[in-house]
Amino acid sequence: MTTTIDLYYDPYDREIDADPYPIYRRLREEAPVYYNEQYDFYAVSRFDDVQRGLVDRETYSSARGSVLEFIKANIEMPPGVVIFEDQPQHTVHRGLLSRVFTPKKMNALEPKVREFCAQALDPLVGAGRFDFVADLGAQMPMRVIGMLLGVPEEFQEAARDRANANLRTEAGQPMDTTAENMMNGEFFGQFIDWRAEHPSDDIMTELLNVEFEDETGNIRRLRRDELLIYISVVSGAGNETTTRLIGWTGKVLAEHPDQRRELVADPSLIPAAIEELLRYEPPAPHVARYVTRDVEYYGRRIPEGSVMMMLVGAANRDHRQFPPDGDVFDIRREPRQHLTFSVGTHYCLGSALARLEGRIALEEILKRFPEWDIDLSECKLSPTSTVRGWDTMPAVIG
């Protein structure tokens, strides 16, 4: 058996982050439970272990956050950050958002999503170059989530940039978890105050007026501070990950031109291609949990109070779940569950919207640009420790 002495995984290491899959493969086979001494966290990488950890909310708590830096900083999370909550608060707050993120409501957005794609792409026809991130990935999701929230168009870019800036890190360093860096809500206060006087058909108006039973049994409306957090969370989640998905779409399909040509010839394969892209290059490659009680993996005790990293990116390529080889990209792969949108109580509320945006973006790209090559010399990975993707993905149109 291969020695694990030189096996090192570090979520902040830019060299590893550029291509983590060789390390992920070794972790799955040589160290399915791994310990990083420098940053004091454990990690699991096999599909079954990651899936089990994500659904075991009694052992793995989200209440201290789902990011390693947050858990280590022991920050008190404000109410409304749904992904950083356990029951019963999580059930209440998720229930409010689930009313507006139904698949039916998301599918009704298709004409507007297609319109936003056309606005971004049509001016580029004949230009010879196209940046999957700057020209589309950073534009269309911003317009969609801004429209859904009720943020005026002239402020949507600022909302996106604020959310993205909070995730940025210095090279090789953890995220800044100070309150000054993380608190973003007051930016949206001006829009909440406006919507209180000028209601519309958007998430902000709906959350302003919804009455619900909270975890103490009281019937009430959301407080202003809760609403600010809600809007900040939805804005950030609705922008960043879909942007990264579109960037990966450009890169992966350039590396697999035969499969790209299959999609041009048969657009009915596009939904399956988006699902395979989500599995193959998940925008959020790992999630962290606080360990509430001693647990054992492969004969090793993980003590209460530890941090466990669930390596979604590794699990999504585990050959045990995706035979015969999870490291192979295949748009005709037999459909099997992946963990890109998590699983259980924290399953991503925006999954239907992300799939819709990814599908329509690829349809509209292929209509205009059926052939492209990526200019890797100009590509730039986004510097964050929570999502993995590209700030730039320029393509030369064939």
Side-chain angles (χ1 to χ4, degrees):
M1 185 173 180
T2 306
T3 178
T4 61
I5 292 175
D6 62 344
L7 178 54
Y8 178 71
Y9 172 69
D10 177 349
Y12 309 118
D13 188 304
R14 293 298 172 83
E15 188 174 338
I16 293 174
D17 190 53
D19 181 10
Y21 296 105
I23 297 293
Y24 285 166
R25 190 181 311 117
R26 290 192 61 196
L27 288 172
R28 288 194 304 267
E29 303 311 314
E30 301 172 34
V33 58
Y34 172 81
Y35 178 65
N36 180 295
E37 186 173 348
Q38 180 180 358
Y39 295 107
D40 186 28
F41 69 85
Y42 292 86
V44 289
S45 50
R46 293 181 179 175
F47 184 92
D48 286 348
D49 295 331
V50 174
Q51 182 184 49
R52 186 177 69 185
L54 290 173
V55 299
D56 184 359
R57 63 178 186 266
E58 300 300 323
T59 304
Y60 301 105
S61 172
S62 302
R64 298 193 184 193
S66 62
V67 179
L68 176 62
E69 295 93 318
F70 288 170
I71 299 174
K72 288 296 184 182
N74 198 22
I75 298 170
E76 183 176 350
M77 294 296 166
V81 187
V82 184
I83 57 175
F84 296 168
E85 292 180 331
D86 288 334
Q87 319 310 47
Q89 293 89 349
H90 177 264
T91 301
V92 172
H93 292 145
R94 182 183 175 92
L96 293 176
L97 284 179
S98 65
R99 302 180 188 189
V100 293
F101 278 94
T102 65
K104 182 178 180 180
K105 287 185 177 181
M106 295 303 100
N107 287 333
L109 295 171
E110 178 158 346
K112 291 299 295 185
V113 175
R114 206 171 290 281
E115 177 185 328
F116 291 141
C117 287
Q119 289 173 359
L121 295 172
D122 282 346
L124 302 171
V125 173
R129 294 182 70 88
F130 158 55
D131 192 314
F132 278 82
V133 177
D135 293 328
L136 182 62
Q139 302 300 322
M140 179 268 287
M142 170 190 72
R143 300 299 178 202
V144 173
I145 204 67
M147 175 187 69
L148 282 172
L149 286 174
V151 175
E153 189 170 330
E154 63 268 28
F155 291 98
Q156 289 172 2
E157 192 168 324
R160 177 201 64 201
D161 292 345
R162 280 172 173 265
N164 290 352
N166 285 349
L167 299 173
R168 295 301 184 268
T169 60
E170 296 297 324
Q173 297 297 315
M175 183 192 301
D176 178 7
T177 57
T178 59
E180 291 80 7
N181 183 60
M182 301 313 300
M183 290 312 294
N184 192 30
E186 269 304 329
F187 171 79
F188 293 100
Q190 57 188 313
F191 312 127
I192 290 172
D193 296 340
W194 169 258
R195 283 293 173 226
E197 299 296 327
H198 304 85
S200 184
D201 182 20
D202 54 47
I203 292 174
M204 210 177 301
T205 301
E206 185 156 348
L207 291 177
L208 269 165
N209 295 296
V210 67
E211 291 190 342
F212 67 101
E213 182 178 340
D214 68 17
E215 63 272 18
T216 67
N218 291 323
I219 305 296
R220 64 181 180 88
R221 292 187 177 185
L222 287 168
R223 301 188 307 271
R224 190 175 188 275
D225 63 310
E226 291 176 308
L227 187 52
L228 285 170
I229 294 293
Y230 260 97
I231 300 302
S232 295
V233 169
V234 173
S235 175
N239 274 303
E240 182 80 13
T241 53
T242 309
T243 298
R244 303 306 154 215
L245 168 61
I246 293 172
W248 285 118
T249 297
K251 183 174 188 293
V252 174
L253 290 180
E255 294 168 343
H256 298 84
D258 290 346
Q259 295 190 60
R260 181 182 63 202
R261 291 174 191 125
E262 285 189 68
L263 297 175
V264 174
D266 184 1
S268 71
L269 295 172
I270 288 176
I274 293 299
E275 211 61 30
E276 178 69 347
L277 283 160
L278 287 163
R279 178 198 73 83
Y280 190 74
E281 289 288 7
H286 47 70
V287 62
R289 294 286 189 265
Y290 177 80
V291 182
T292 64
R293 57 192 178 193
D294 290 2
V295 65
E296 186 173 300
Y297 278 90
Y298 304 99
R300 181 167 192 170
R301 186 179 70 89
I302 314 299
E304 175 187 345
S306 300
V307 177
M308 178 64 82
M309 293 273 283
M310 312 290 181
L311 300 181
V312 170
N316 272 0
R317 294 203 182 188
D318 190 345
H319 69 274
R320 300 163 187 85
Q321 175 71 3
F322 303 101
D325 187 351
D327 282 321
V328 172
F329 178 78
D330 182 4
I331 60 173
R332 295 183 181 273
R333 181 182 293 278
E334 177 189 348
R336 303 197 71 177
Q337 180 191 7
H338 59 72
L339 299 175
T340 296
F341 292 124
S342 193
V343 66
T345 58
H346 281 278
Y347 186 78
C348 176
L349 279 168
S351 60
L353 178 58
R355 287 182 168 111
L356 176 79
E357 290 178 318
R359 172 178 64 80
I360 294 174
L362 184 51
E363 288 172 355
E364 296 299 315
I365 290 166
L366 292 173
K367 285 177 186 176
R368 294 164 177 82
F369 313 123
E371 294 281 337
W372 68 81
D373 290 310
I374 294 299
D375 185 355
L376 285 174
S377 67
E378 297 296 324
C379 293
K380 182 181 177 183
L381 267 176
S382 180
T384 87
S385 65
T386 53
V387 296
R388 180 173 173 268
W390 301 88
D391 277 342
T392 60
M393 182 55 61
V396 178
I397 305 303

